Amino acid sequence: MNDMTEMPAPLTFSDNAAAKVKSLIDEEGNPDLKLRVFVTGGGCSGFQLVNLAAQAGARGIVLVGFDMDSSQPPHWYGKNTWPGSSNPKERSFVRWRRALDGAAATLSKLSIEVVNVSETSTLTAYPKMKLEDALWLLKA
């Protein structure tokens, strides 16, 4: 966007998504209902960011820090230790790996190239490479 008057590009919905929204509106019986799209916490924020990048039109995504393994520190800064915090359990990593690897085919169909630069990553659906190689690849 160049100035405050220019609108961002609209989201594009699949026919299935449009049909689902229509069914929700019909179910409520209110044709004035609107759809709100947002990213929410609670789960794999990395997957949410990949989804957001894809929806925003990214042509390339570099996965950094996607180890997805409970034997590794869960965050780049180590374990959460503040009161009320928690850290991922292996069952969460299993779910997140399934979701991220499961998205590979859809991302490929959308012509979005995804590479994984996390050396110890347990994801299997994306090619692995060094960060400097990935950055040059995505610039091309």
Side-chain angles (χ1 to χ4, degrees):
M1 296 187 305
N2 295 333
D3 61 40
M4 297 297 286
T5 60
E6 188 176 339
M7 295 295 293
L11 294 174
T12 303
F13 293 94
S14 68
D15 290 341
N16 286 344
K20 179 63 176 178
V21 171
K22 183 181 180 328
S23 74
L24 293 171
I25 290 171
D26 291 346
E27 184 179 306
E28 290 294 320
N30 180 354
D32 295 326
L33 285 179
K34 307 292 186 247
L35 174 67
R36 181 181 298 175
V37 179
F38 59 95
V39 176
T40 182
C44 181
S45 59
F47 180 78
Q48 293 171 350
L49 288 173
V50 167
N51 185 26
L52 182 62
Q55 291 187 36
R59 301 310 323 131
I61 298 172
V62 178
L63 302 176
V64 180
F66 281 74
D67 298 325
M68 298 286 140
D69 181 358
S70 61
S71 69
Q72 302 291 326
H75 309 288
W76 61 269
Y77 53 82
K79 290 188 177 240
N80 294 327
T81 57
W82 59 87
S85 67
S86 64
N87 292 284
K89 306 266 188 289
E90 181 59 26
R91 67 180 177 268
S92 294
F93 287 116
V94 168
R95 190 175 73 249
W96 298 340
R97 284 192 300 262
R98 190 179 315 122
L100 280 160
D101 278 339
T106 300
L107 293 166
S108 179
K109 284 180 189 173
L110 295 170
S111 299
I112 300 171
E113 186 166 4
V114 181
V115 295
N116 185 352
V117 299
S118 306
E119 289 183 26
T120 60
S121 179
T122 56
L123 295 174
T124 59
Y126 307 100
K128 283 189 178 179
M129 61 180 62
K130 293 183 178 184
L131 177 60
E132 56 270 19
D133 295 334
L135 295 177
W136 281 109
L137 172 75
L138 294 175
K139 273 185 158 184

